[in-house]
Amino acid sequence: MPINILMPALSPTMEEGKLAKWLVKEGDEVSSGAVLAEIETDKATMEVEAIDEGTVGKILVDEGAEGVKVNTPIAVLLEEGEDPSAISDSPAAAPPPASKSAAEAAKPEASSEPKANGTVPPAQAQQAAPQPEKRAASGTGERVFASPLARRLAKDNGLDLAQLTGSGPHGRIVKSDIETALETGAGKDAPGTAVATTGAAAAAAGPGLLQAMPDKQVLQLYEEGTYDVVPHDGMRKVIAQRLTQSKQTVPHFYLTLDCRLDELLRSRSRMNDVAPKEGPRAYKLSVNDFIIKALALALQDVPNANASWTDGGMLHHRHSDVGVAVAIEGGLFTPIIRHAEMKTLSEISNEMKDLAGRARNRRLAPHEYQGGTTSISNLGMFGIKEFDAVINPPHATILAVGAGIKQPVVTGDTVEVATVMSCTLSCDHRVVDGALGAELLNAFKSYIEDPVRMLV
């Protein structure tokens, strides 16, 4: 009996994802555990493995399709000796239900065939929603088969799908066909259509300036080349949602304190000089490694600050699981150093390098960036002196770290030059009061200014 390959849930909160790439094609023989496809979530790219051995009988979801619901069949695997004709009689052959975004994309297209009074018959609207692949060709009454991604790209670039030839299964138009059309200039709509389509897409892209402006002004701005419409990807949507929620629901307050780095920089230099340069014990410490360790130890010294707010009660964490913001194209990850207070500086350094490298390639597993007890956002390498960071719930704090800058410092009755780093602690006032936040920040400072204490 044919076996369904389902869209996996890569995290407990995942509801849908993007089928980024197929690594097999119909007719390929696969063994159990073989990688079939790559799935993109809002944060990471993960692999789908075959649950059994067999032959790929049918691919149900095109490469590049977005909004594919969890547990939706994406392909059919035939067991040994099974004929491909068995797929048509199997529930596995049923096409996956249209995602919310695909159904919404189909609604405006259904309205392109109105009655004389300008309304769409309910039966016609219902028929259009679950069949997003079908689209009425301009003025011909024919049906054009295209993937949701291809249809969106065609709409954004003003291409008429009826003028294109599909290279997908059964002549379906896919992403590569749109890219070819853009290179060759094929499928261009009548003059003015591309502007109108893109302007409409911009107006529907979400709340904001474009949506609030009259459509005529939107089109005029587009014609003048004032803006380009860049659709939001899953990561940017999640970042916007979580940070908006944080600022609306978490009462932030901020504490700033300067730390002298001179002793830390001297200690770091000596440690790196004697560090193994090759082999499994090799390491090279950065200032950020000291910051991670110092904050982890400070949370152990001030345990009441190592907590999270819930409506049912305060969660006091036994360990310091420190997240570190890593910038990537289009957003950021916050991989977590678990039990950071128990790890040596060299262990933290090597683990952070590994996590940051995989974060930039979107290869982190969900458990490597979810959870944690606090976060660090370091913009010192960009020359930023001081800034306020937004708390990442359920954390109660986040430390914003600025650049180490040489400046005059008064010590006793003398003025001397010192390297000073400004650190701002954002606190959730429901968990961390002002005095508690100040105690945590001063504990952090004591480790930064006397780094030998981190080695004990």
Side-chain angles (χ1 to χ4, degrees), residues 155-183:
K155 186 176 182 181
D156 290 348
N157 291 279
L159 298 181
D160 183 1
L161 290 175
Q163 299 181 31
L164 304 182
T165 301
S167 60
H170 308 293
R172 193 179 190 200
I173 297 172
V174 294
K175 177 185 176 183
S176 59
D177 300 320
I178 301 298
E179 294 173 343
T180 301
L182 291 175
E183 293 176 0

Side-chain angles (χ1 to χ4, degrees), residues 213-230:
M213 294 170 62
D215 190 58
K216 193 172 183 180
Q217 287 181 271
V218 173
L219 298 183
Q220 182 179 354
L221 286 175
Y222 181 84
E223 290 170 345
E224 294 173 356
T226 309
Y227 70 87
D228 294 315
V229 180
V230 180

